[in-house]
Amino acid sequence: MSHKTNFLLFTTSFLGGLAAGFLLSPKKGEQNRAWVSENALELNRWAKIQRHIAKRKSSQELHKLRKNIHKGIQQNIPDLYEATDTIPLSDSNILNE
């Protein structure tokens, strides 16, 4: 299963369970709404923290990836200045004099 399918399945299951919980709850609707309101704020704070952590981690991973790509390019592609350093390029050599 792909990540999109897993996410969609998780979200649907979560929302279905939440709806069933509210319908079968022994509390009144007003109490349920108050509980949801309180916990929604806490969930929002948690989500912000998680987004910040994910952003920082992805930035670090992207930096590592760029560094590894740059290192791989340097190892596999020769530096043209170093490669042509020993080639004589004087006017007499170029004109075969």
Side-chain angles (χ1 to χ4, degrees), residues 8-95:
L8 184 61
L9 182 63
F10 171 77
T11 304
T12 306
S13 300
F14 176 77
L15 292 175
L18 192 62
F22 280 128
L23 292 173
L24 300 173
S25 173
K27 295 180 182 178
K28 293 182 181 178
E30 187 175 314
Q31 290 174 331
N32 281 335
R33 286 190 296 273
W35 181 84
V36 168
S37 178
E38 290 171 9
N39 289 312
L41 292 174
E42 185 178 330
L43 180 62
N44 188 20
R45 278 188 234 118
W46 178 82
K48 282 182 181 179
I49 291 169
Q50 295 304 314
R51 278 194 306 267
H52 179 70
I53 291 170
K55 185 177 180 181
R56 188 171 10 136
K57 283 183 179 180
S58 64
S59 177
Q60 290 171 348
E61 290 298 318
L62 185 59
H63 178 72
K64 286 180 188 177
L65 179 64
R66 286 178 179 164
K67 188 175 178 181
N68 288 338
I69 289 173
H70 184 68
K71 186 186 286 186
I73 288 172
Q74 283 182 335
Q75 290 174 350
N76 294 319
I77 298 176
D79 184 9
L80 294 178
Y81 291 109
E82 290 179 12
T84 59
D85 195 27
T86 58
I87 298 174
L89 295 176
S90 66
D91 290 337
S92 60
N93 288 336
I94 292 174
L95 298 174

